[in-house]
Amino acid sequence: MMKKKSISASKASLFFFLCQMISALDVPLDSKLLEELSQPPTITQQSPKDYIVDPRENIVIQCEAKGKPPPSFSWTRNGTHFDIDKDELVTMKPNSGTLVINIMNGGKAEAYEGVYQCTARNERGAAISNNIVIRPSRSPLWTKEKLEPNQVREGDSLVLHCRPPVGLPPPIIFWMDNAFQRLPQSERVSQGLNGDLYFSNVQPEDTREDYICYARFNHTQTIQQKQPISVKVFSTKPVTERPPILLTPTGTTSNKVELRGNVLLLECIAAGLPTPVIRWIKEGGELPANRTFFENFKKTLKIIDVSEADSGNYKCIARNILGSTHHVISVTVKAAPYWITAPRNLVLSPGEDGSLICRANGNPKPSISWLSNGVPIAIAPEDPSRKVDGDTIIFSAVQERSSAVYQCNASNEYGYLLANAFVNVLAEPPRILTPANKLYQVILDSPALIDCAYFGSPKPEIEWFKGVKGSILRGNEYVFHDNGTLEIPVAQKDSSGTYTCVARNELGKIQNEVQLEVKDPTLIIKQPEYKVIQRYGHVSFECIIKHDSTLIPTVIWLKDNDELPDDERFLVGKDNLTIMNVTDKDDGTYTCIVNTTLDSVSASAVLTVVAAPPTPAIIYARPNPPFDLELTGQLERSIELSWIPGDENNSPITSFVIEYEDGLHEPGVWHYQTEVPGSQTTVQLKLSPYVNYSFRVIAVNEIGRSQPSEPSEQYLTKSANPDENPSNVQGIGSEPDNLVITWESLKGFQSNGPGLQYKVSWRQKDVDDEWTSVVVANVSKYIVSGTPTFVPYEIKVQALNDLGYAPEPSEVIGHSGEDLPMVAPGNVQVHVINSTLAKVHWDPVPLKSVRGHLQGYKVYYWKVQSLSRRSKRHIEKKILTFRGNKTFGMLPGLEPYSSYKLNVRVVNGKGEGPASPDKVFKTPEGVPSSPSFLKITNPTLDSLTLEWGSPTHPNGILISYILKFQPINNTHELGPLVEIRIPANESSLILKNLNYSTRYKFYFNAQTSVGSGSQITEEAVTIMDEAGIPRPAVGAGKGKEDWKKEIVNGSRSFFVLKGLTPGTAYKVRVGAEGLSGFRSSEDVFETGPAMASRQVDIATQGWFIGLMCAVALLILILLIVCFIRRNKGGKYPVKEKEDAHADPEIQPMKEDDGTFGEYSDAEDHKPLKKGSRTPSDRTVKKEDSDDSLVDYGEGVNGQFNEDGSFIGQYSGKKEKEPAEGNESSEAPSPVNAMNSFV
């Protein structure tokens, strides 16, 4: 029979079944083979799910995939096909799916916000990427506010609010003064997690006028600063001491939800005098070791890598000499989905079976959904070989058309996981990947491994033959590995020869021949010997070898496992090493190493160099092991051990270490028992019942530990009742009708005797009922079935063995399983507070109807329609969760002038109850958004035409538009502001009577009954030249001609007519606009004959004036030069000539001027700038901020002194402000996070 090395025969059937269900074929990583085999696409690289981009740089969305044939790529944006050919700013990299959006050539990052998904497709299937949410980073300006000085009494508490602008991602906050020095922080003064600066009590030295909060935005490399805050502390004698009170958080309790794997940050900051000290505890448990850290002078509790076990109540206690206060934070740890078993690629042969398994966990439990080639499997093309069973897809008798890429999506409210796994059905004849006639060489009596790497589908059978016409190899002298390798465990000379590997399946057969040569081993027949040599003598070590004649050996000599010293005294011969004129440094171990391509041997000898005559030296060494161990005074729980110390080897013994072995439970494992001083040779040892003890002793001195002594005789202690009961007893139902009781089993010798079991007892709490008990084996769980839904139980678990019971255990309270709530909240009422905020009230449900632990209430609300447009849209439901037994909640972010519906549901640990009836409410009008566009066309000498679009979000009924405009002169000074109110039904306006050749700035907004919306601005210029009059029609004067009309500024008394036809008679009249029936007397004139060209007065042309100025300036410079040369004529001393032509290399070096960056006006709320280093496009380049405040923060190499003070300058960008002083700030555009895959 053929011997299989990888698995025993008893497990073979189970192993092969699992192999078929997981992956029937293993594809070798052979590059040539992989290039030839068809393979569905596999996503190899993609951008992160939440991708925040720099709005000043090109957006690169990665999508790389492999497959055979190479896949093609396509994209969706917000769920619809994204046609990149229609957008000239979007390109796809060659042979890749990576998108490049060219923002630097005029694009706006905000226009490309959205959810993107990549699909890689070939003839075998389609793989998809995660949903990639693209959001540009934002660094808005600080809202302008008037800050009053803070007048504080000495000893009082104080909070300086930072309130930074909301950016994307959120900014990093820090406090500094006007000199860019970090404000010192301590137990008394510290910065909170929200960025505010807290003073537990103020002192006179806190008086200053430059408390400045800075917000650093990492993505855009900018820093915004708040206006300086002034604090003045006034003293009152005596200063009153105060007990602690909490500044944050407020109240006595609060709640916190954190996700599994994140960092949990809890904060408590207290006021009081003296300054309170903060202490943290976890109620009913310990703070997790190795993951708990205290920051900010113990005001912040930080737990890294949190898990569900970290849920619970955390209490912070603030204390000083006058008293204490506390706050309890209830922490709930939820979990986004995480993999238990991710689906793996499946390669099958036609007719084979297999399965894809997708298992994930999370809190709440994630739902599993399947897709085929990116399409939900429910609507994907049917495949008779496929059957979906929850988190598993089972394939039976697959065919080549069954090849596809399957996507598993695991989702809950906190996120989703997406995995691609392909099913590749291949029908391939056998291939042998091992090169033909490959030569294998091994040493005699060593194992020989001869490869036959193969591939085929179905999986080929492998047979080995020796010789060209040899028979098939069988027998115990060969081992046949599953990967095709033939192993000869002990190769002999007659094992040499030609070996043939044959691979066959139903599609074909192939064979390959390889060669095996067995070589004689390399031997050292004369080894170097130990030598003792006197100083300055000569010594020689021999190393004579024997080797296979076809192998070439190399001999290397080492000293103390290192190369020989580079010294001419060391002479290496063919078979020896000679050392001349030996010194003390030559003392050591010399090793001869012989290497061939197949084996290596070595031999060593020690050289000892001695003086003449040699003088013995004191040798310090570890002590010899103790001996003659004896056990006396045997009792049930103690025994006396004595021993005799070994030789201490010139270093006194400092202690003895006693170890024990439990031959009954852990034979061969030695445990530490105790340690006694080196002067003691007996010890009384405490024992546990039902342990078969052996003891050994180790002596310790300054040199080290001795070898352990020989073990003592064994001593078996008597059995006894267990001393303790199981710990961590819990009762939690997994189903509505059961109670799962769990505990931590006793370890090892805690059983105190044979037959360890547990007595599990339970009874319903607050019911006059007897205990129900059952005795179970040494397990850690018992399930009670048939229980009422969610009732409390008293539980206890008692250990017992063959000798009796442990002491009576303490009782714990558990609950049977939860079920979904039965009743919906009633009396749901909605109070609309303003156009974007509403408050909802409801009556709590009876606690009995909850049927579980009350988690809180969920409010589902959605917009039905906009009242201003009366057009329905896709309904997007939003959910707000209110923890605990709350009966009201706020609904933020509503759209003005809209109709909404909502309902309320109660939530327990099992899930949600029924929904209350839908409640309809409407939001009032709000201010509109800015008009969608403002265009200025048809400029003339004194008029401009304005056209506009209505607001995208009217938020009510528009009543009018407000137009403001003012002229701007060449120095950008603004003229008087004119305001015009325009009816809401208008979409254009002609402004007349304007000044010619003048720039105007326009401010335009819409109004509802609530007020004015945000404005849109535009600039335009009236033209400089007079308007031309169209030429009269041919045949002028024959019949009645139409009058041509031109509007003239009322302050002018002339007008030039252009575009007239030479030699033509015209009739002219002038009238006042708006006075009906009035006109001047008419006049008739005739134009002159046509001229060859237009006469231009060159003296009035700008280019001529500039040329004349340049000529005059050049003449003036020449006169000055001539005057200087005339004055310097004549002779001058030789030394002056030498000074004038001195060697430039010894001229003093002029230092470059260096300036420190200016500090911007605190009223501007703009970033500080560094003069000329700010580029003209008002953006901050990364290379320009190497030594600026931008570099302060996480992930950037900031430059600060040791005390934290700032070194360098700040660079940023300055925004243009509107004329009316209404400062606008850039608000982030939130993208709804997609917690489940679509």
Side-chain angles (χ1 to χ4, degrees), residues 860-1087:
Y860 287 73
Y861 64 101
W862 62 96
K863 178 181 176 181
V864 179
Q865 67 177 15
S866 172
L867 297 179
S868 61
R869 296 184 178 180
R870 300 294 180 182
S871 60
K872 294 188 177 180
R873 63 171 191 174
H874 172 69
I875 295 177
E876 178 184 354
K877 290 190 177 182
K878 298 182 180 179
I879 305 173
L880 285 178
T881 302
F882 301 95
R883 302 294 176 187
N885 197 19
K886 291 191 68 174
T887 59
F888 67 91
M890 307 300 288
L891 306 181
L894 304 178
E895 294 187 17
Y897 206 50
S898 300
S899 176
Y900 279 85
K901 285 185 180 181
L902 65 77
N903 59 52
V904 186
R905 313 175 191 197
V906 66
V907 183
N908 65 10
K910 190 72 172 179
E912 300 176 6
S916 65
D918 290 350
K919 186 75 174 180
V920 180
F921 66 97
K922 299 178 181 178
T923 54
E925 291 188 70
V927 297
S929 62
S930 61
S932 57
F933 68 88
L934 175 61
K935 293 194 302 184
I936 302 176
T937 60
N938 301 330
T940 67
L941 274 172
D942 58 356
S943 69
L944 294 169
T945 300
L946 281 67
E947 298 176 358
W948 60 86
S950 59
T952 306
H953 300 286
N955 295 337
I957 300 175
L958 296 182
I959 60 174
S960 65
Y961 292 99
I962 302 298
L963 172 65
K964 299 178 182 179
F965 64 93
Q966 56 190 154
I968 308 174
N969 63 16
N970 292 334
T971 61
H972 297 283
E973 294 177 351
L974 300 175
L977 189 67
V978 178
E979 180 175 329
I980 299 175
R981 185 177 298 271
I982 305 169
N985 59 352
E986 296 289 338
S987 62
S988 64
L989 175 69
I990 299 177
L991 280 179
K992 302 178 180 179
N993 297 327
L994 304 177
N995 297 329
Y996 74 94
S997 187
T998 302
R999 178 175 292 276
Y1000 286 88
K1001 186 166 186 178
F1002 297 90
Y1003 313 93
F1004 192 68
N1005 59 5
Q1007 267 193 337
T1008 63
S1009 59
V1010 177
S1012 299
S1014 55
Q1015 64 184 13
I1016 183 172
T1017 64
E1018 190 59 79
E1019 293 185 9
V1021 184
T1022 55
I1023 64 175
M1024 177 177 179
D1025 295 332
E1026 291 82 2
I1029 298 178
R1031 297 176 61 178
V1034 178
K1038 295 181 181 180
K1040 186 177 179 180
E1041 298 291 337
D1042 292 333
W1043 285 92
K1044 311 298 181 182
K1045 182 180 178 181
E1046 292 293 333
I1047 305 299
V1048 182
N1049 194 322
S1051 62
R1052 299 178 61 182
S1053 60
F1054 70 94
F1055 185 75
V1056 178
L1057 298 178
K1058 289 186 176 182
L1060 304 181
T1061 302
T1064 304
Y1066 286 90
K1067 186 183 293 183
V1068 180
R1069 66 186 179 192
V1070 180
E1073 184 183 36
L1075 297 178
S1076 176
F1078 172 81
R1079 68 174 187 266
S1080 69
S1081 59
E1082 298 178 352
D1083 194 11
V1084 177
F1085 69 93
E1086 184 174 344
T1087 56

Side-chain angles (χ1 to χ4, degrees), residues 317-336:
I317 304 169
R319 186 185 304 276
N320 67 8
I321 59 175
L322 298 183
S324 66
T325 187
H326 70 272
H327 183 93
V328 176
I329 304 174
S330 179
V331 174
T332 303
V333 179
K334 297 291 186 178

Side-chain angles (χ1 to χ4, degrees), residues 24-44:
L25 292 176
D26 290 328
V27 180
L29 298 177
D30 183 89
S31 58
K32 183 177 180 182
L33 175 65
L34 292 177
E35 289 177 0
E36 297 175 356
L37 294 179
S38 296
Q39 179 177 312
T42 301
I43 300 291
T44 59

